[in-house]
């Protein structure tokens, strides 16, 4: 495998050069010291980003759900190139 495909995937590009469209909603749940302090964050991600992020987050002890209920107002998954 050459570095071109890896670089394109890392930059959110499919190997054919087309931009991948986020199709997954990633919801991350953070516990607080009280129920009122709990934090829930939602992000848009591609299927691959969602899988890679969820694998790392669950390994770190976070609760994460992934579904297809994407909305136009969802922010993209931060640092998504780390999850590719």
């Amino acid at each position: 495998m050459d570095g071109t495909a890896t670089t394109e995937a890392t930059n959110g590009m499919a190997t054919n050069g087309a931009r991948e469209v986020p199709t997954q909603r990633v919801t991350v749940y953070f516990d607080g010291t009280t129920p009122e302090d709990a934090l829930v964050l939602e992000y848009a991600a591609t299927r691959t980003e969602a899988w890679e992020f969820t694998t790392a987050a669950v390994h770190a002890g976070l609760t994460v759900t992934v579904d297809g209920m994407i909305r136009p107002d969802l922010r993209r998954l931060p640092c998504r190139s780390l999850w590719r």
Side-chain angles (χ1 to χ4, degrees):
M1 173 182 235
D2 69 16
T4 304
T6 304
T7 302
E8 289 175 349
T10 301
N11 291 325
M13 302 287 281
T15 55
N16 65 3
R19 218 175 258 270
E20 291 184 75
V21 177
T23 59
Q24 304 296 297
R25 177 180 67 167
V26 177
T27 306
V28 187
Y29 302 88
F30 297 93
D31 292 332
T33 54
T34 67
E36 296 81 29
D37 292 334
L39 180 63
V40 178
L41 300 175
E42 296 179 317
Y43 300 103
T46 65
R47 187 174 297 275
T48 301
E49 292 165 354
W51 171 258
E52 295 292 332
F53 173 79
T54 299
T55 301
V58 168
H59 183 72
L62 295 173
T63 300
V64 179
T65 60
V66 178
D67 60 39
M69 299 179 66
I70 192 104
R71 300 185 315 269
D73 64 324
L74 287 177
R75 293 176 293 175
R76 287 296 306 263
L77 186 66
C79 302
R80 61 186 176 265
S81 64
L82 295 175
W83 317 118
R84 294 300 309 241

